[in-house]
Amino acid sequence: FPGWARDPTSAMKSGNILDLAPFDSAEELASLGLDRLKTALQALNLKCGGTLIERAHRLYSTKGRELDELDPAAYAKNKKNRDEGEKQKDVAQLEAYVYHYTELLSE
């Protein structure tokens, strides 16, 4: 069965990681808007809720710092009910079904 491999660098390739070098303040980051700040925070696995200014400050606080230097409270909580491996297995199973049914229909 032809499948797909998960690329751990996909967040960087899709443009979700935001280069903070051009920004001199959280207020400048806020000019990007709620949605862009949310995707940038999600790409770093940081909490992404709050107001525009709260998101901008949270993201700007990462400038020039390694992720392991950040306060653990800044990270988003993982969903406890399912882990990533289970989700990937479910998707792979569904893809197998689709592939199988496509083969049956093409005969």
Side-chain angles (χ1 to χ4, degrees), residues 7-19 36 39 43-44 67:
D7 184 2
T9 62
S10 62
M12 288 185 176
K13 290 179 183 174
S14 67
N16 290 338
I17 300 292
L18 181 62
D19 179 19
R36 181 61 183 106
T39 57
L44 296 172
L67 290 179

Side-chain angles (χ1 to χ4, degrees), residues 11 16 23 40 43-45 52 59 64 72 77 83 85 91:
N16 290 338
F23 299 96
L44 296 172
N45 195 31
L52 177 64
L59 186 58
K77 294 180 180 166
D83 67 348
V91 170

Side-chain angles (χ1 to χ4, degrees), residues 100-107:
H100 177 70
Y101 292 138
T102 303
E103 290 295 313
L104 287 176
L105 291 172
S106 66
E107 292 177 358

Side-chain angles (χ1 to χ4, degrees), residues 30-47:
S31 68
L32 298 176
L34 279 169
D35 291 334
R36 181 61 183 106
L37 294 180
K38 180 177 182 174
T39 57
L41 288 165
Q42 286 175 330
L44 296 172
N45 195 31
L46 296 175
K47 291 180 181 177

Side-chain angles (χ1 to χ4, degrees), residues 54-66:
E54 289 171 339
R55 290 180 188 184
H57 281 288
R58 192 176 309 122
L59 186 58
Y60 191 75
S61 71
T62 66
K63 184 175 180 177
R65 298 173 69 187
E66 295 293 324

